[in-house]
Amino acid sequence: MASVPKPAHMASLLLLLVTLVTVPLYHHLSSPSSSSYKTHLSNKRVLLCGIGYEVGEQLAYQLAEQGAKLVIFYRADGRQKTLLNLQRTFELTDDVIQIIQPLMMARTDTKAQEIKDTALKMGSPQVDIFPLDFGNVSSAQVVVDAAIHLLGGLDYVVLNHADIPRGFFMKSLKLQDVDFLLRTFTVNVYSYMEIALKALPHLEKTSGHMFVTSSVLGEVPQSGLSVFSSTKHALNGFFYTLQEELRTRGSGVSLTVGSLGVMKSLELKAVMDVGESMMGGISECAKGIMDSMITKPRTFTYPILQPNFARFMWSFFSS
């Protein structure tokens, strides 16, 4: 005898269908016109943290095209981690490491310089870009102080940096290591909190906006990504609560939390294994973030299909 779907399951299915129809329509109708981008972003002062995984880089270019002034911080701590991994894997000697290290530093710095040069060519009147170890919480003050010194104030803050550790938690001694967990939470959560809190007084002066990049994994768990998912759950808990505090205070500062799913990026494809048709485009995601900086929704979900399907499957099959 066929089982009868539970009312809660039917409600979840109906919610998914309504979401898949109404959300794209809402984004289409509320998306700023091409002329309003310049109005809202020309000469605006943007602090952008994190240009890895391609989305941040594309966002920098799109903001530059609208004439925004940019101060960018990118993760530099990954270079040292990569060197340590190479040394352990291939048992490299210190002499070999001394040869490789400057090459890795130069490669990363060259890429950063290319991003700066491209952003300037695309129309930004000012682009400053710096490496930063986001695993050091005290760096937060440096980030905000540098942005204020270089830009004279802040209109927008985008927090987009992340460390994405992979592996099954119960099988990995590395993932269970307290120091590793602390550093990952520092990069993915504590640095976000510190930079946001340091930037808020400056955003209050301009009724500015903050965009926080989170993930659908902050709502829906996935085996093999327990640590990353944990950090995104923590990020959501803090920043959705901060939204409420800002609203209660009558603050002029607005805040959007981005619930991002899988993108067509070599880095991000490895995070969740889904079909190509369910993946989002890097450029389109960056444009959605830029739209959110203008329309200021509480949540921005991209792509539409995969995150909402993941929410539905978790709700429907989790019990």
Side-chain angles (χ1 to χ4, degrees):
M1 184 176 180
S3 61
V4 178
K6 297 179 182 178
H9 291 168
M10 293 301 296
S12 297
L13 179 59
L14 180 60
L15 180 61
L16 173 65
L17 295 174
V18 170
T19 299
L20 294 179
V21 173
T22 59
V23 172
L25 180 61
Y26 168 78
H27 284 304
H28 174 73
L29 295 176
S30 64
S31 182
S33 63
S34 56
S35 60
S36 68
Y37 284 119
K38 289 281 186 184
T39 302
H40 286 92
L41 296 171
S42 180
N43 286 310
K44 295 299 182 181
R45 300 158 297 182
V46 181
L47 169 60
L48 171 58
C49 295
I51 51 174
Y53 307 113
E54 302 177 41
V55 174
E57 180 181 345
Q58 285 299 315
L59 177 61
Y61 296 152
Q62 293 187 25
L63 290 170
E65 196 171 25
Q66 305 307 323
K69 299 177 181 178
L70 304 172
V71 170
I72 301 169
F73 285 89
Y74 64 93
R75 284 189 62 200
D77 52 310
R79 294 179 292 189
Q80 191 61 36
K81 286 166 60 180
T82 302
L83 280 171
L84 290 172
N85 289 336
L86 286 172
Q87 190 171 23
R88 290 168 185 157
T89 303
F90 299 104
E91 298 181 353
L92 303 180
T93 65
D94 291 338
D95 291 340
V96 175
I97 289 294
Q98 287 179 5
I99 295 172
I100 294 175
Q101 188 167 20
L103 297 176
M104 290 188 66
M105 295 287 189
R107 183 176 180 274
T108 306
D109 293 339
T110 299
K111 177 62 176 175
Q113 186 62 45
E114 289 175 359
I115 292 173
K116 176 178 179 177
D117 292 343
T118 302
L120 287 169
K121 288 177 183 176
M122 294 184 75
S124 175
Q126 179 182 348
V127 181
D128 295 288
I129 186 166
F130 307 99
L132 187 78
D133 179 6
F134 287 101
N136 182 355
V137 177
S138 62
S139 299
Q141 187 64 58
V142 175
V143 167
V144 176
D145 285 348
I148 296 302
H149 173 73
L150 292 165
L151 298 175
L154 283 173
D155 298 294
Y156 297 98
V157 173
V158 180
L159 302 178
N160 183 60
H161 56 281
D163 189 7
I164 308 180
R166 304 173 183 88
F168 294 97
F169 187 78
M170 299 304 295
K171 294 181 179 180
S172 173
L173 292 177
K174 174 188 174 183
L175 293 178
Q176 297 174 31
D177 181 74
V178 174
D179 291 335
F180 174 81
L181 289 170
L182 179 59
R183 179 167 184 83
T184 304
F185 268 81
T186 300
V187 173
N188 289 4
V189 183
Y190 304 142
S191 67
Y192 273 64
M193 294 167 66
E194 284 295 312
I195 294 172
L197 294 175
K198 296 291 190 301
L200 273 174
H202 303 285
L203 292 174
E204 291 279 7
K205 296 176 183 178
T206 59
S207 295
H209 183 73
M210 187 182 305
F211 186 95
V212 175
T213 298
S214 187
S215 167
V216 68
L217 291 176
E219 306 167 48
V220 179
Q222 179 168 316
S223 181
L225 287 161
S226 56
V227 176
F228 179 69
S229 181
S230 298
T231 63
K232 292 305 181 180
H233 273 81
L235 202 68
N236 286 352
F238 177 79
F239 280 100
Y240 280 123
T241 304
L242 183 59
Q243 276 185 345
E244 289 302 304
E245 290 193 15
L246 292 171
R247 183 184 63 81
T248 302
R249 287 174 47 202
S251 171
V253 178
S254 53
L255 193 162
T256 298
V257 177
S259 182
L260 305 188
V262 183
M263 308 291 167
K264 295 175 184 176
S265 157
L266 291 177
E267 288 278 1
L268 295 177
K269 279 182 183 179
V271 177
M272 289 182 277
D273 184 19
V274 302
E276 190 85 14
S277 62
M278 297 183 74
M279 295 181 184
I282 296 296
S283 181
E284 188 177 27
C285 179
K287 182 180 181 298
I289 294 174
M290 188 170 67
D291 287 352
S292 297
M293 294 167 66
I294 298 173
T295 59
K296 305 177 181 180
R298 291 167 63 88
T299 302
F300 166 68
T301 298
Y302 184 85
I304 297 299
L305 182 57
Q306 183 264 322
N308 284 300
F309 183 72
R311 290 166 178 150
F312 165 72
M313 293 297 289
W314 172 243
S315 174
F316 199 91
F317 293 107
S318 61
S319 59

